[in-house]
Amino acid sequence: MRSLMSYYKVLGLEKEPFSTSPDPEFFYHANSHNTALKRLEIAIRLRRGLCLILGDVGTGKTTLSRTLLQAFKDDNDFIFHMILDPSFKSEFQFLLTLVKMFGIEPPFRSTLDFKEALEKYLFQKGVEENKTIILLIDEGQKITQENLEVLRTLLNYETNEYKLLQLVIMAQVEVLPRIKRIRNFMDRVALKYTINPLDELETKEMLEFRLRQAGYKSPKMLFTDDAIRLIYQHTQGYPRKISMFAHDALEALVMRDALVVDSDTVLSLIGERQAYEPAAAYDLSGGAG
């Protein structure tokens, strides 16, 4: 049996093609994701304020956020700060994290001191230095109601022409009811966009794109059309599910000394998952979303 540890080398690949890590190099620009990325970039450059990107678990929000950062990496006029887990238990803890992240010097005696310091910092950067400060929050559904109020306050800081803070929230749709309960918060949303799962053609294109990115050069694809159709039906077009399944399919390919992932391979893998995990095909609690 060929070594599973180097299966990608056996298949003519230079690296792992179906990692679930949020690597911009492997970000497939599906229609929905590409639209979100372009609209985000426009909103940030115009300093529109609040952008809200919604999507189910596994639709690619985290990878989209890393790709957004990559789009601005060579432009020093845009300063990004990212919060990966915004589940702060108090307003004080959240504000303390923000001032430390922005490099604002203490001491502070109250939350009011924090807010005044943040306003001064944003004015200095945005007006005096003509920089654009972006706060990107992933897993936005974890933000407490109290800290959503903090964000609403920060969005009040503005000139006559633009917002001093550009706020991008990536979240599951469950955040919407809580946002709507905060007066005037939804009014500040300059961009609200929902990322959809891939369709069948995009599923095929994503598999091919990621294989090519990983160094696959053969004109013969590793997945038959029937196999791709079954993968799409089983994963419902969710990018993370597709990547996880494709990884296992390539492992199975090497184990069986086969040349291509066909429908029998996919059906066998589906059967194995249903036998061990009857309630759900995958654990989506971790990894990039």
Side-chain angles (χ1 to χ4, degrees):
M1 184 188 297
R2 302 170 190 173
S3 171
L4 288 179
M5 294 300 292
S6 60
Y7 84 84
Y8 55 87
K9 293 182 181 178
V10 171
L11 296 172
L13 303 168
E14 296 171 3
K15 59 178 73 172
E16 163 64 66
F18 297 115
S19 169
T20 54
S21 298
D23 185 351
E25 183 183 352
F26 286 85
F27 178 70
Y28 165 63
H29 288 251
N31 181 59
S32 181
H33 296 76
N34 201 42
T35 299
L37 186 63
K38 287 181 177 178
R39 293 186 65 184
L40 275 170
E41 185 171 348
I42 291 170
I44 289 171
R45 291 189 182 279
L46 294 179
R47 301 188 186 187
R48 296 290 308 281
L50 173 59
C51 297
L52 185 60
I53 303 298
L54 304 173
D56 288 338
V57 178
T59 49
K61 298 185 298 299
T62 299
T63 309
L64 177 67
S65 68
R66 300 301 198 282
T67 307
L68 179 67
L69 294 177
Q70 193 81 0
F72 286 87
K73 69 181 178 65
D74 296 323
D75 198 329
N76 294 328
D77 289 331
F78 294 84
I79 303 172
F80 278 82
H81 300 278
M82 178 177 281
I83 295 177
L84 299 177
D85 184 357
S87 54
F88 301 100
K89 292 182 173 138
S90 69
E91 178 186 23
F92 185 89
Q93 186 184 39
F94 185 35
L95 287 167
L96 179 61
T97 298
L98 288 177
V99 296
K100 285 183 176 180
M101 182 181 293
F102 291 162
I104 303 172
E105 293 297 326
F108 305 105
R109 293 182 298 277
S110 67
T111 57
L112 180 60
D113 290 337
F114 283 126
K115 291 173 183 177
E116 288 178 349
L118 285 167
E119 183 176 16
K120 181 179 178 182
Y121 167 83
L122 291 171
F123 183 86
Q124 177 186 333
K125 290 293 182 183
V127 178
E128 296 176 3
E129 299 179 24
N130 198 30
K131 303 288 186 182
T132 301
I133 305 299
I134 305 100
L135 176 61
L136 199 160
I137 300 179
D138 201 5
E139 301 289 345
Q141 71 280 354
K142 296 181 180 180
I143 306 173
T144 65
Q145 200 76 14
E146 182 180 33
N147 288 331
L148 283 172
E149 288 281 2
V150 171
L151 295 175
R152 185 187 66 81
T153 299
L154 296 181
L155 289 168
N156 286 336
Y157 303 153
E158 58 189 347
T159 68
N160 290 335
E161 294 84 24
Y162 54 83
K163 299 287 187 182
L164 293 176
L165 177 68
Q166 308 312 303
L167 177 62
V168 179
I169 300 177
M170 305 275 187
Q172 296 170 33
V173 292
E174 65 197 58
V175 77
L176 269 181
R178 287 189 286 120
I179 286 179
K180 289 177 178 177
R181 286 200 294 268
I182 299 177
R183 187 177 179 182
N184 298 331
F185 197 95
M186 284 301 293
D187 294 343
R188 289 167 168 76
V189 178
L191 167 62
K192 181 170 78 70
Y193 189 83
T194 301
I195 300 175
N196 297 312
L198 310 186
D199 61 26
E200 186 176 334
L201 176 59
E202 288 174 329
T203 299
K204 178 179 181 178
E205 290 176 348
M206 174 187 162
L207 291 170
E208 293 177 351
F209 168 77
R210 296 191 71 154
L211 285 168
R212 298 300 183 196
Q213 287 296 99
Y216 188 72
K217 294 180 174 60
S218 172
K220 184 176 180 180
M221 292 310 300
L222 291 174
F223 294 83
T224 67
D225 287 342
D226 286 342
I228 291 170
R229 185 173 299 109
L230 288 170
I231 291 172
Y232 167 70
Q233 292 170 355
H234 184 64
T235 62
Q236 299 179 303
Y238 283 80
R240 191 190 304 168
K241 285 185 178 182
I242 295 169
S243 293
M244 294 170 71
F245 196 99
H247 170 85
D248 290 348
L250 292 187
E251 279 196 352
L253 192 67
V254 173
M255 290 179 66
R256 299 171 187 182
D257 285 321
L259 298 175
V260 66
V261 175
D262 57 18
S263 57
D264 288 341
T265 304
V266 174
L267 288 171
S268 176
L269 288 172
I270 291 173
E272 290 174 10
R273 278 154 184 72
Q274 290 174 340
Y276 287 102
E277 302 176 40
Y282 297 95
D283 175 15
L284 291 178
S285 59

